[in-house]
Amino acid sequence: MENAKSFLSSLLSAGGASGRGAPAAAVSSIYVYPIKSCRGISLSQAPVSPTGFRWDRQWLVVNSKGRAYTQRVEPKLALVEIEMPNGAFDEGWEPTVDSYMVIKAPGMDPLKVPLVAEYAVADEVSVWEWSGPAHDGGVGAADWFSSYLGKPSRLVRFWTASEIRPVDVKYAQGHKVLFADGYPFLVASQGSLNALNEVLHEPININRFRPNILVDGCNPYAEDLWKEIKINNLTFNGVKLCSRCKVPTINQENGIAGTEPTETMMKYRSDHVLRPACKQKGVVYFGQNMVWQDSLLRTMNGKLVKVGDPVYVVREYASCADVPA
């Protein structure tokens, strides 16, 4: 950890070797959540795709009617751990018939889900505004999640070959996601978390906010204003402040919900405080929803984001009142 911090410090102080001027921050952590609402995987690198990092929110747990389960109604999902095969996050890696995703949870035997398999189609799967068919994860996965949650459940996989789930066109046209709530990437900063922890009675971990990219070296909440950034020559657009739901109040170590950090954030991170002249929704904000701008180019080539990559801010919003939310 100390070596990583030293590397980030030297990188930020080194300035503009790329010709863009000094970086505003550096990537300090990368997270991917293969099953929506289950625990994330911390990575040193991850391949970028138009729908987010590879494998991110590709699977979903649903009820008997095909409706998505999330931690909002099933906080026990916070305790479900995911393991992907070695090499799964290398650029160009492809699974074989011997490649499995391994799922673990307290009191449960590990479940192996093949990454290459022929499964039946699950009709009428729905998450938020979207509904459509998906790949059914099989009887074994259904039994495992039904036992763990204590109610009929299934594991489904997004049908990337036939289905498209666009992001809200009010914020970003032409972009798409799999089972993520709304946008392919969520960027937050260590500085923002540190500032929040300074005013909380008990500090919390960044896993409460489930970012994809955590950066370090910038001022608290600087990411609020990032309209366009570059990481490893990849261009990301900040399209919407991330309004937070109940999930950050759920302790990711035990699955128990409380009132913090939302109660404290309402005092200084609410729309009433940050966007007083805008229509009030009674929400708090933490992090910036982003899309990969290059994914709309026909000549797009996938690349990696790595821990230690410098973050260059190309364009910024003038204030939080100017940022879409």
Side-chain angles (χ1 to χ4, degrees):
M1 180 62 72
E2 289 302 319
N3 289 338
K5 290 182 178 178
S6 298
F7 176 75
L8 292 175
S9 177
S10 63
L11 180 64
L12 290 171
S13 63
S18 69
R20 299 190 191 95
V27 176
S28 57
S29 298
I30 296 169
Y31 302 97
V32 170
Y33 310 85
I35 303 178
K36 182 179 179 66
S37 267
C38 295
R39 283 190 179 176
I41 303 173
S42 178
L43 303 166
S44 60
Q45 65 176 37
V48 176
S49 82
T51 57
F53 286 131
R54 190 178 188 189
W55 308 113
D56 192 49
R57 275 88 168 195
Q58 197 165 122
W59 286 266
L60 176 72
V61 184
V62 299
N63 64 18
S64 59
K65 296 181 180 180
R67 185 67 183 170
Y69 281 138
T70 73
Q71 288 188 32
R72 298 166 180 83
V73 294
E74 292 296 338
K76 286 181 65 176
L77 289 174
L79 308 183
V80 177
E81 299 182 38
I82 313 298
E83 295 178 1
M84 298 296 286
N86 291 333
F89 297 97
D90 293 341
E91 190 172 9
W93 183 87
E94 292 299 331
T96 68
V97 292
D98 297 319
S99 301
Y100 294 89
M101 174 174 65
V102 180
I103 306 173
K104 300 178 180 180
M108 303 291 294
D109 291 331
L111 172 69
K112 295 176 68 175
V113 176
L115 298 182
V116 178
E118 292 292 334
Y119 284 125
V121 175
D123 293 319
E124 297 304 319
V125 169
S126 60
V127 54
W128 302 123
E129 80 301 331
W130 178 89
S131 63
H135 292 292
D136 193 294
V139 174
D143 289 345
W144 194 94
F145 277 101
S146 296
S147 176
Y148 179 65
L149 295 176
K151 59 186 71 175
S153 307
R154 286 183 295 162
L155 180 69
V156 298
R157 186 175 184 178
F158 198 90
W159 196 346
T160 55
S162 69
E163 297 302 309
I164 294 176
R165 185 169 169 242
V167 305
D168 192 330
V169 295
K170 292 185 297 183
Y171 298 99
Q173 293 190 353
H175 294 276
K176 56 188 179 180
V177 289
L178 300 183
F179 289 132
D181 270 0
Y183 300 90
F185 299 94
L186 175 61
V187 175
S189 75
Q190 185 65 43
S192 300
L193 180 66
N194 293 345
L196 174 59
N197 279 334
E198 286 180 2
V199 295
L200 289 175
H201 292 299
E202 295 184 9
I204 61 174
N205 192 285
I206 193 62
N207 60 13
R208 295 282 193 106
F209 296 103
R210 302 177 69 79
N212 297 110
I213 301 174
L214 183 69
V215 304
D216 199 2
C218 60
N219 290 329
Y221 308 111
E223 67 273 23
D224 288 352
L225 306 181
W226 291 351
K227 190 173 185 178
E228 180 181 326
I229 63 173
K230 283 189 176 291
I231 304 174
N232 193 21
N233 291 318
L234 304 173
T235 301
F236 297 88
N237 295 135
V239 296
K240 184 180 182 293
L241 290 176
C242 186
S243 57
R244 308 311 308 213
C245 62
K246 176 184 177 181
V247 172
T249 68
I250 299 171
N251 187 322
Q252 298 296 296
E253 308 308 316
N254 57 26
I256 298 174
T259 60
E260 295 288 14
T262 301
E263 187 174 284
T264 293
M265 292 175 67
M266 285 296 295
K267 300 173 183 177
Y268 78 109
R269 293 294 300 172
S270 68
D271 51 355
H272 176 73
V273 175
L274 298 179
R275 300 164 54 81
C278 302
K279 182 179 179 180
Q280 299 297 292
K281 304 176 184 178
V283 298
V284 296
Y285 300 109
F286 192 98
Q288 172 88 256
N289 289 305
M290 292 198 169
V291 296
W292 179 28
Q293 178 180 298
D294 309 326
S295 68
L296 300 182
L297 303 177
R298 294 181 180 180
T299 57
M300 173 199 69
N301 292 313
K303 291 188 177 181
L304 297 170
V305 170
K306 301 179 180 180
V307 168
D309 280 345
V311 178
Y312 297 94
V313 177
V314 180
R315 292 186 296 157
E316 292 187 277
Y317 292 98
S319 70
C320 283
D322 300 308
V323 185

